[in-house]
Amino acid sequence: MTLEVAHGRKLKKITMDDIDSLARGAAILGTGGGGDPYIGALLAKQAIEEFGPVELVSVEDLADDAFIVPIAAIGAPTVAVEKLDTVENLYLTIEKLAASVNRTATHTACLEIGGSNSLLPIVAAAQLGIPLIDGDLIGRAFPEIQMGMAPLYGIHATPMALADEKGNTLVIEAIDSFWAERFARQASIEMGCNAFNSTYAMTGAQARESFVAGSMSFAIAIGDAVANAQHHNLNPCDVLAETLRGRIVHLGKVTDLQRQTTGGFAKGQAMIEGMGADAGSVLSLHFQNEHLLATKDGTVVTTTPDLIIVVDAESAEPVTTENLRYGQRLCILTAPSDPRWHTTEGLALAGPEYFGYGVPSHRWDGTPEEHTESIERYRS
């Protein structure tokens, strides 16, 4: 992912004026997942109104011994739309995790950039009065806890703390991040398929290595770019593709949608019948909370880990997987992910074969993955 766009607007605080752009941009980067941005934006605005703006800190400015506790929601986005978050106890997951290692959180962070999961950390930071990191641990959204940069650098998911809207809390210790995902997923189902979790607590030195730096600012820049295109009657989908340094792969209408909540995830497939220059072609989207594979007339167009983005064809407003509807007119784009996802270790965690699609990884430009390198290259 290219983050140069973010540097045009160096942010020191997140204010009320930033929330709508952040919600829009994060939902675009979230590749259909990460929760409903509208709900997250409402909660973040309420928190800023009550507690004031939230300080935003770059990973480069962190002290080595800073103690960062990221936070996100866990569960099925289809459930979260109907079972609204109650955020009075959101900070509990951060405090429970920090207490389990006898430390106090100095910063919180976004576990994944996407939908409401980019906005809930603002609520927690405001509640606790601590700074928020300008970055996240994925650079997009993924459905499972072990799918992050932190495991690539040997940072463990546990201790992990979960909390629900009733005030139930749970601290999990697991032997690795895969087991952490198994335990947390079952716990989230018992919590109604929608809970909060804090995981991958780390030092400032570890954050500088494992974070996707600047992704919060980048999301705001994306949201600003789309809003500016709408205001000046430019084609917002073209502007979005240019901002992401990606490409538009299909324009069409939803003609079939299969979606079910199973195993704590929203899984399914959508068929997009082409319009305009794409008339006569059908694009198929496959998703598990996030969009993971796109094929066009039976040919693979792009796959996870690169970004598959669905937006309204006219406004370029993001459409999450839980908000897909029959008859919607959509523009489908694809863009590069953080290059570390294309290492051998990254593809093993989040490539198409992990999800059982039986196809090799295809990059955003449509080329099959021909060569991968080890994450060791990035440990300098």
Side-chain angles (χ1 to χ4, degrees), residues 125-185:
Q127 287 178 330
L128 290 170
I130 59 177
L132 179 69
I133 305 298
D134 186 3
D136 74 298
L137 283 167
I138 302 179
R140 48 163 294 162
F142 272 133
E144 299 181 11
I145 288 169
Q146 77 279 4
M147 296 172 176
M149 291 293 170
L152 298 180
Y153 290 93
I155 301 168
H156 295 294
T158 67
M160 173 195 300
L162 285 87
D164 64 17
E165 83 284 357
K166 295 178 284 291
N168 295 310
T169 61
L170 177 68
V171 177
I172 294 173
E173 291 277 5
I175 58 173
D176 59 33
S177 300
F178 289 90
W179 277 101
E181 159 65 25
R182 292 178 66 174
F183 291 137
R185 192 64 50 185

Coordinates of all heavy atoms in Angstrom, one line a residue, residues 125-185:
A125 N -9.8 5.5 23.2 CA -8.7 6.5 23.5 C -9.4 7.7 24.2 O -8.8 8.2 25.1 CB -8.1 6.9 22.2
A126 N -10.6 8.1 23.7 CA -11.2 9.2 24.4 C -11.6 8.9 25.8 O -11.5 9.7 26.7 CB -12.4 9.6 23.6
Q127 N -12.2 7.7 26.0 CA -12.6 7.2 27.3 C -11.4 7.2 28.3 O -11.6 7.6 29.5 CB -13.2 5.8 27.3 CG -14.6 5.8 26.6 CD -15.2 4.4 26.6 OE1 -14.4 3.4 26.4 NE2 -16.5 4.2 26.6
L128 N -10.3 6.7 27.9 CA -9.1 6.5 28.8 C -8.2 7.7 28.8 O -7.3 7.8 29.6 CB -8.4 5.3 28.3 CG -9.1 3.9 28.6 CD1 -8.3 2.8 27.9 CD2 -9.2 3.6 30.1
G129 N -8.4 8.6 27.8 CA -7.5 9.8 27.8 C -6.1 9.5 27.4 O -5.1 10.1 27.9
I130 N -5.9 8.5 26.5 CA -4.6 8.1 26.0 C -4.5 8.3 24.5 O -5.5 8.4 23.8 CB -4.3 6.7 26.4 CG1 -5.3 5.7 25.7 CG2 -4.2 6.5 27.9 CD1 -5.0 4.2 26.0
P131 N -3.3 8.5 23.9 CA -3.2 8.7 22.5 C -3.5 7.5 21.7 O -3.4 6.4 22.2 CB -1.7 9.1 22.3 CG -1.2 9.5 23.7 CD -2.0 8.6 24.6
L132 N -3.8 7.7 20.4 CA -4.1 6.7 19.4 C -2.9 6.7 18.4 O -2.4 7.7 18.0 CB -5.4 7.0 18.7 CG -5.9 6.1 17.6 CD1 -6.3 4.8 18.2 CD2 -7.1 6.8 16.9
I133 N -2.5 5.5 18.0 CA -1.4 5.3 17.0 C -2.0 5.5 15.6 O -3.0 5.0 15.3 CB -0.8 3.9 17.1 CG1 -0.4 3.6 18.5 CG2 0.3 3.8 16.1 CD1 0.7 4.5 19.1
D134 N -1.2 6.3 14.8 CA -1.6 6.5 13.4 C -1.1 5.3 12.6 O 0.0 5.3 12.1 CB -0.9 7.8 12.9 CG -1.4 8.1 11.4 OD1 -2.3 7.3 10.9 OD2 -0.9 9.1 10.9
G135 N -1.9 4.2 12.6 CA -1.5 3.0 11.9 C -2.4 1.9 12.4 O -3.2 2.0 13.3
D136 N -2.2 0.7 11.8 CA -2.9 -0.5 12.2 C -2.1 -1.7 12.0 O -0.9 -1.6 11.5 CB -4.3 -0.6 11.5 CG -4.1 -1.1 10.0 OD1 -3.4 -0.3 9.3 OD2 -4.6 -2.1 9.7
L137 N -2.6 -2.9 12.3 CA -1.8 -4.1 12.2 C -2.0 -4.9 11.0 O -1.5 -6.1 10.9 CB -2.0 -4.9 13.5 CG -1.2 -4.4 14.7 CD1 -1.7 -5.1 16.0 CD2 0.3 -4.6 14.5
I138 N -2.8 -4.4 10.0 CA -3.1 -5.2 8.8 C -2.9 -4.4 7.5 O -2.3 -4.8 6.6 CB -4.5 -5.8 8.8 CG1 -4.7 -6.7 10.1 CG2 -4.7 -6.7 7.6 CD1 -6.1 -7.3 10.2
G139 N -3.4 -3.1 7.5 CA -3.4 -2.3 6.3 C -4.7 -2.6 5.5 O -4.8 -2.0 4.4
R140 N -5.6 -3.4 6.0 CA -6.9 -3.7 5.4 C -7.6 -4.4 6.5 O -7.2 -4.3 7.7 CB -6.8 -4.6 4.2 CG -5.9 -5.8 4.3 CD -6.1 -6.8 3.3 NE -7.5 -7.4 3.4 CZ -8.1 -8.1 2.4 NH1 -7.5 -8.2 1.3 NH2 -9.3 -8.6 2.6
A141 N -8.7 -5.1 6.3 CA -9.3 -5.9 7.3 C -9.2 -7.4 6.8 O -9.2 -7.7 5.6 CB -10.8 -5.5 7.4
F142 N -9.1 -8.3 7.8 CA -9.1 -9.7 7.6 C -10.1 -10.4 8.6 O -10.2 -9.8 9.7 CB -7.7 -10.3 7.7 CG -7.0 -10.3 6.4 CD1 -5.6 -9.9 6.4 CD2 -7.5 -10.8 5.3 CE1 -4.9 -9.8 5.2 CE2 -6.8 -10.8 4.1 CZ -5.5 -10.3 4.1
P143 N -10.6 -11.5 8.3 CA -11.6 -12.1 9.3 C -11.1 -12.8 10.5 O -11.8 -12.9 11.5 CB -12.4 -13.1 8.4 CG -11.4 -13.5 7.3 CD -10.6 -12.3 7.1
E144 N -9.8 -13.2 10.5 CA -9.3 -14.0 11.6 C -8.2 -13.3 12.4 O -7.4 -12.6 11.8 CB -8.9 -15.4 11.2 CG -10.1 -16.2 10.5 CD -9.7 -17.6 10.1 OE1 -8.6 -18.0 10.4 OE2 -10.5 -18.2 9.4
I145 N -8.1 -13.6 13.7 CA -7.2 -12.8 14.5 C -5.7 -13.1 14.2 O -4.9 -12.1 14.3 CB -7.5 -13.2 16.0 CG1 -8.8 -12.6 16.4 CG2 -6.3 -12.8 16.9 CD1 -9.3 -13.1 17.8
Q146 N -5.3 -14.2 13.7 CA -3.9 -14.5 13.4 C -3.5 -13.8 12.1 O -2.3 -13.8 11.8 CB -3.6 -16.0 13.4 CG -4.1 -16.7 12.1 CD -5.6 -17.0 12.1 OE1 -6.3 -16.7 13.0 NE2 -6.1 -17.7 11.0
M147 N -4.4 -13.2 11.4 CA -4.1 -12.6 10.1 C -3.7 -11.1 10.3 O -4.5 -10.2 10.1 CB -5.3 -12.7 9.2 CG -5.7 -14.1 8.8 SD -7.3 -14.2 7.9 CE -7.3 -15.9 7.6
G148 N -2.5 -10.9 10.8 CA -2.0 -9.6 11.1 C -0.5 -9.6 10.9 O 0.2 -10.6 10.8
M149 N 0.1 -8.4 10.9 CA 1.5 -8.2 10.8 C 2.2 -8.8 12.0 O 3.3 -9.3 12.0 CB 1.9 -6.8 10.6 CG 1.5 -6.2 9.2 SD 2.4 -7.0 7.9 CE 1.5 -6.3 6.5
A150 N 1.6 -8.6 13.2 CA 2.2 -9.0 14.4 C 2.7 -10.4 14.5 O 3.9 -10.7 14.8 CB 1.3 -8.7 15.6
P151 N 1.9 -11.4 14.1 CA 2.4 -12.8 14.1 C 3.6 -13.0 13.1 O 4.5 -13.8 13.4 CB 1.2 -13.6 13.6 CG 0.0 -12.8 13.9 CD 0.5 -11.3 13.7
L152 N 3.7 -12.2 12.0 CA 4.8 -12.3 11.1 C 6.1 -11.9 11.8 O 7.2 -12.3 11.4 CB 4.6 -11.4 9.9 CG 3.4 -11.8 9.0 CD1 3.3 -10.8 7.8 CD2 3.5 -13.2 8.5
Y153 N 6.0 -11.1 12.9 CA 7.2 -10.6 13.6 C 7.3 -11.3 15.0 O 8.0 -10.9 15.9 CB 7.1 -9.1 13.8 CG 7.3 -8.4 12.5 CD1 6.2 -8.0 11.8 CD2 8.6 -8.1 12.1 CE1 6.4 -7.3 10.6 CE2 8.8 -7.4 10.9 CZ 7.7 -7.0 10.1 OH 7.9 -6.3 8.9
G154 N 6.6 -12.4 15.2 CA 6.7 -13.2 16.4 C 6.0 -12.6 17.6 O 6.3 -13.0 18.7
I155 N 5.1 -11.7 17.4 CA 4.3 -11.1 18.5 C 3.1 -11.9 18.7 O 2.3 -12.1 17.7 CB 4.0 -9.6 18.2 CG1 5.3 -8.9 18.0 CG2 3.2 -9.0 19.4 CD1 5.1 -7.5 17.4
H156 N 2.8 -12.3 19.9 CA 1.6 -13.2 20.2 C 0.3 -12.4 20.4 O 0.3 -11.3 20.9 CB 1.9 -14.1 21.4 CG 3.1 -15.0 21.2 ND1 3.0 -16.1 20.3 CD2 4.3 -15.1 21.8 CE1 4.2 -16.7 20.4 NE2 4.9 -16.1 21.2
A157 N -0.7 -13.1 20.1 CA -2.1 -12.5 20.2 C -2.5 -12.5 21.6 O -3.4 -11.6 22.0 CB -3.1 -13.3 19.4
T158 N -2.0 -13.3 22.5 CA -2.4 -13.4 23.9 C -1.3 -12.9 24.8 O -0.1 -13.0 24.4 CB -2.9 -14.8 24.3 OG1 -1.8 -15.7 24.2 CG2 -4.0 -15.2 23.3
P159 N -1.7 -12.4 26.0 CA -3.0 -12.4 26.5 C -4.0 -11.5 25.7 O -3.5 -10.5 25.2 CB -2.8 -11.8 27.9 CG -1.6 -11.1 27.9 CD -0.7 -11.8 26.9
M160 N -5.2 -12.0 25.6 CA -6.2 -11.2 24.9 C -7.4 -11.1 25.8 O -7.8 -12.0 26.6 CB -6.7 -12.1 23.7 CG -7.9 -11.5 22.9 SD -8.6 -12.7 21.8 CE -7.2 -13.0 20.7
A161 N -8.0 -9.9 25.8 CA -9.2 -9.6 26.6 C -10.4 -9.4 25.7 O -10.3 -8.8 24.7 CB -9.0 -8.4 27.5
L162 N -11.6 -10.0 26.1 CA -12.8 -9.8 25.5 C -13.9 -9.2 26.4 O -13.8 -9.5 27.6 CB -13.4 -11.1 24.9 CG -12.7 -11.6 23.6 CD1 -11.5 -12.5 24.0 CD2 -13.7 -12.4 22.7
A163 N -14.8 -8.4 25.9 CA -15.9 -7.9 26.7 C -17.1 -7.8 25.8 O -17.0 -7.6 24.6 CB -15.5 -6.5 27.3
D164 N -18.3 -8.0 26.4 CA -19.5 -7.8 25.7 C -20.3 -6.6 26.3 O -19.9 -6.0 27.2 CB -20.4 -9.0 25.6 CG -20.9 -9.5 27.0 OD1 -20.8 -8.7 28.0 OD2 -21.3 -10.6 27.1
E165 N -21.4 -6.3 25.6 CA -22.2 -5.1 26.0 C -22.9 -5.3 27.4 O -23.3 -4.3 28.0 CB -23.3 -4.8 25.0 CG -24.6 -5.6 25.0 CD -24.4 -7.0 24.5 OE1 -23.3 -7.4 24.1 OE2 -25.4 -7.8 24.6
K166 N -22.9 -6.6 27.9 CA -23.5 -6.8 29.2 C -22.5 -6.6 30.3 O -22.9 -6.5 31.5 CB -24.0 -8.3 29.2 CG -25.2 -8.5 28.3 CD -25.6 -10.0 28.3 CE -24.7 -10.8 27.5 NZ -24.7 -10.6 26.1
G167 N -21.2 -6.5 30.0 CA -20.2 -6.3 31.0 C -19.4 -7.5 31.3 O -18.5 -7.5 32.2
N168 N -19.7 -8.6 30.6 CA -18.9 -9.9 30.8 C -17.5 -9.6 30.2 O -17.3 -9.0 29.1 CB -19.5 -11.0 30.0 CG -20.9 -11.4 30.6 OD1 -21.0 -11.6 31.8 ND2 -21.9 -11.6 29.8
T169 N -16.5 -10.1 30.9 CA -15.1 -10.0 30.4 C -14.4 -11.3 30.5 O -14.8 -12.2 31.3 CB -14.3 -8.9 31.2 OG1 -14.2 -9.3 32.6 CG2 -14.9 -7.6 31.1
L170 N -13.4 -11.5 29.7 CA -12.7 -12.8 29.6 C -11.2 -12.5 29.2 O -11.0 -11.7 28.3 CB -13.4 -13.7 28.6 CG -12.8 -15.0 28.3 CD1 -12.9 -16.0 29.5 CD2 -13.4 -15.6 27.0
V171 N -10.2 -13.1 29.8 CA -8.8 -13.0 29.4 C -8.4 -14.4 28.9 O -8.5 -15.3 29.7 CB -7.9 -12.5 30.5 CG1 -6.5 -12.5 30.1 CG2 -8.4 -11.1 30.9
I172 N -7.9 -14.4 27.7 CA -7.5 -15.7 27.1 C -6.0 -15.8 27.1 O -5.3 -14.8 26.7 CB -8.0 -15.8 25.7 CG1 -9.6 -15.9 25.7 CG2 -7.5 -17.0 24.9 CD1 -10.2 -15.8 24.4
E173 N -5.4 -16.9 27.4 CA -4.0 -17.3 27.2 C -4.0 -18.5 26.3 O -4.6 -19.5 26.5 CB -3.3 -17.6 28.5 CG -3.1 -16.4 29.5 CD -1.9 -15.6 29.2 OE1 -1.2 -15.9 28.2 OE2 -1.6 -14.6 29.9
A174 N -3.2 -18.4 25.2 CA -3.2 -19.5 24.2 C -1.7 -19.7 23.8 O -0.9 -18.8 23.9 CB -4.0 -19.1 23.0
I175 N -1.5 -20.9 23.3 CA -0.1 -21.2 22.9 C 0.4 -20.5 21.6 O 1.5 -20.3 21.4 CB 0.1 -22.8 22.7 CG1 -0.9 -23.3 21.7 CG2 -0.1 -23.5 24.1 CD1 -0.6 -24.8 21.4
D176 N -0.6 -20.1 20.8 CA -0.2 -19.3 19.6 C -1.5 -18.6 19.1 O -2.5 -18.7 19.7 CB 0.4 -20.2 18.5 CG -0.6 -21.3 18.0 OD1 -1.8 -21.1 18.0 OD2 -0.1 -22.4 17.6
S177 N -1.3 -17.8 18.0 CA -2.4 -16.9 17.6 C -3.5 -17.7 16.9 O -4.6 -17.3 16.9 CB -1.8 -15.9 16.6 OG -0.8 -15.1 17.2
F178 N -3.2 -18.9 16.4 CA -4.3 -19.7 15.8 C -5.2 -20.2 16.9 O -6.5 -20.2 16.7 CB -3.7 -20.9 15.0 CG -3.0 -20.5 13.7 CD1 -1.7 -20.2 13.7 CD2 -3.8 -20.4 12.5 CE1 -1.1 -19.8 12.5 CE2 -3.2 -20.0 11.3 CZ -1.8 -19.7 11.3
W179 N -4.6 -20.7 18.0 CA -5.5 -21.1 19.1 C -6.2 -19.9 19.7 O -7.4 -20.1 20.2 CB -4.6 -21.8 20.2 CG -4.4 -23.3 19.9 CD1 -3.3 -23.8 19.3 CD2 -5.3 -24.3 20.0 NE1 -3.4 -25.2 19.1 CE2 -4.7 -25.5 19.6 CE3 -6.6 -24.4 20.6 CZ2 -5.3 -26.8 19.6 CZ3 -7.2 -25.7 20.6 CH2 -6.5 -26.8 20.1
A180 N -5.6 -18.8 19.7 CA -6.3 -17.6 20.2 C -7.5 -17.3 19.4 O -8.6 -16.9 19.9 CB -5.3 -16.4 20.2
E181 N -7.4 -17.4 18.1 CA -8.5 -17.2 17.2 C -9.7 -18.2 17.5 O -10.8 -17.9 17.6 CB -8.1 -17.4 15.7 CG -9.2 -17.7 14.7 CD -10.2 -16.6 14.6 OE1 -9.9 -15.4 14.8 OE2 -11.4 -16.9 14.2
R182 N -9.3 -19.5 17.7 CA -10.3 -20.5 18.0 C -11.1 -20.2 19.3 O -12.3 -20.3 19.3 CB -9.6 -21.9 18.1 CG -9.1 -22.4 16.7 CD -8.4 -23.7 16.9 NE -9.3 -24.8 17.2 CZ -9.0 -26.1 17.3 NH1 -7.7 -26.5 17.0 NH2 -9.9 -27.0 17.6
F183 N -10.3 -19.9 20.3 CA -11.0 -19.6 21.6 C -11.8 -18.4 21.5 O -13.0 -18.3 22.0 CB -9.9 -19.5 22.7 CG -9.2 -20.8 23.1 CD1 -7.9 -20.8 23.3 CD2 -9.9 -22.0 23.2 CE1 -7.2 -22.0 23.6 CE2 -9.3 -23.2 23.5 CZ -7.9 -23.2 23.7
A184 N -11.2 -17.3 20.9 CA -11.9 -16.0 20.9 C -13.2 -16.1 20.0 O -14.2 -15.5 20.3 CB -11.0 -14.9 20.4
R185 N -13.1 -16.9 18.9 CA -14.3 -17.0 18.1 C -15.4 -17.7 18.8 O -16.6 -17.2 18.7 CB -13.9 -17.8 16.8 CG -14.9 -17.8 15.7 CD -15.1 -16.4 15.1 NE -13.9 -15.7 14.7 CZ -13.8 -14.5 14.3 NH1 -14.8 -13.7 14.2 NH2 -12.6 -14.0 14.0

